[in-house]
């Protein structure tokens, strides 16, 4: 089965659990509070969460596999994300999310591809994928939340193309990668450390 949610509004935090089938979230107004979605019945197919602060998504399946889950940070600030997908109920276990403003991906785990994008800065905590990882910041840098950041995938693509003032990693906090295939796209500075043996490295310095 599948559940389609319409519009929901919250002023004191929202916690939603489901154990029967996939869900499409619809439009959720978080009201500047935390949102937790736990779907043990299947995938979180799509949806949007606006006026967000902290968003936690768990699925016995994929997250954003019909269309990327959209978030929009409260007050044009930062949405902090935790997400966990799994290869279950016929889904590969991918995770896809797009933030309109800034995104702090504190913890994202998926057995398949992880695709995250932000309108401004994108900060990475622990991102673990059994497939490819793609991080894209439209008008900001891709940085580490702290020095213990870790990004693991079969291929990691990092794109921060909005001018030389934005880049990938920083001199004080490098991005810690574990991938054999690395694609970097930025006209700005790059600070990364890769613990794996590289068999593919692509660097694109264009805007």
């Amino acid at each position: 089965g599948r559940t389609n949610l319409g519009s929901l509004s919250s002023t004191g935090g929202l916690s939603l659990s489901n154990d029967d089938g996939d869900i499409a979230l619809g439009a959720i107004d978080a009201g500047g509070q935390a949102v937790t979605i736990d779907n043990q019945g299947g995938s979180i197919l799509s949806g949007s969460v606006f006026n967000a602060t902290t968003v936690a998504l768990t699925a016995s399946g994929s997250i954003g596999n019909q269309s990327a889950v959209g978030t929009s940070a409260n007050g044009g600030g930062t949405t902090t994300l935790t997400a966990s997908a799994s290869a279950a109920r016929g889904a590969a276990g991918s995770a896809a999310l797009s933030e309109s403003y800034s995104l702090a991906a504190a913890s994202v785990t998926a057995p398949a591809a992880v695709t995250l994008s932000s309108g401004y800065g994108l900060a990475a905590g622990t991102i673990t994928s059994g497939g490819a990882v793609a991080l894209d910041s439209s008008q900001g840098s891709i940085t580490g939340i702290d020095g213990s950041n870790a990004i693991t995938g079969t291929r990691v693509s990092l794109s921060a193309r909005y001018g030389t003032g934005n880049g990938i990693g920083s001199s004080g906090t490098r991005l810690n990668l574990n991938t054999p295939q690395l694609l970097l796209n930025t006209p700005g500075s790059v600070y990364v450390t890769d613990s794996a043996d590289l068999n593919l490295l692509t660097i694109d310095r264009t805007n």
Side-chain angles (χ1 to χ4, degrees):
R2 166 176 168 163
T3 301
N4 295 308
L5 300 181
S7 298
L8 298 175
S9 297
S10 173
T11 57
L14 175 67
S15 181
L16 174 65
S17 297
N18 180 64
D19 60 6
D20 185 16
D22 299 334
I23 56 175
L25 294 180
I28 297 173
D29 182 353
Q33 304 296 319
V35 171
T36 300
I37 309 293
D38 183 359
N39 186 20
Q40 295 304 311
S43 297
I44 300 173
L45 300 172
S46 59
S48 60
V49 181
F50 55 100
N51 294 323
T53 53
T54 300
V55 176
L57 304 174
T58 303
S60 183
S62 295
I63 297 171
N65 51 324
Q66 188 174 78
S67 61
V69 173
T71 59
S72 181
N74 188 51
T78 300
T79 295
T80 299
L81 171 70
T82 59
S84 177
S86 56
R89 303 183 186 273
S94 59
L97 182 136
S98 178
E99 161 62 40
S100 298
Y101 296 102
S102 294
L103 178 66
S107 175
V108 179
T109 303
V114 171
T115 305
L116 303 176
S117 65
S118 66
Y120 296 96
L122 197 164
T126 301
I127 300 173
T128 306
S129 169
V133 175
L135 307 182
D136 181 88
S137 172
S138 294
Q139 298 186 50
S141 296
I142 300 173
T143 59
I145 289 178
D146 54 36
S148 63
N149 73 83
I151 303 171
T152 301
T154 57
R155 172 180 290 206
V156 172
S157 303
L158 306 174
S159 179
R161 302 177 59 186
Y162 194 70
T164 58
N166 295 298
I168 296 171
S170 68
S171 58
T173 305
R174 289 174 171 266
L175 290 182
N176 302 313
L177 312 177
N178 183 355
T179 183
Q181 299 186 353
L182 178 59
L183 291 81
L184 303 171
N185 188 338
T186 182
S189 300
V190 176
Y191 297 90
V192 301
T193 300
D194 194 344
S195 61
D197 293 332
L198 281 171
N199 59 48
L200 174 68
L201 174 62
T202 299
I203 301 174
D204 184 346
R205 302 289 287 166
T206 60
N207 283 323

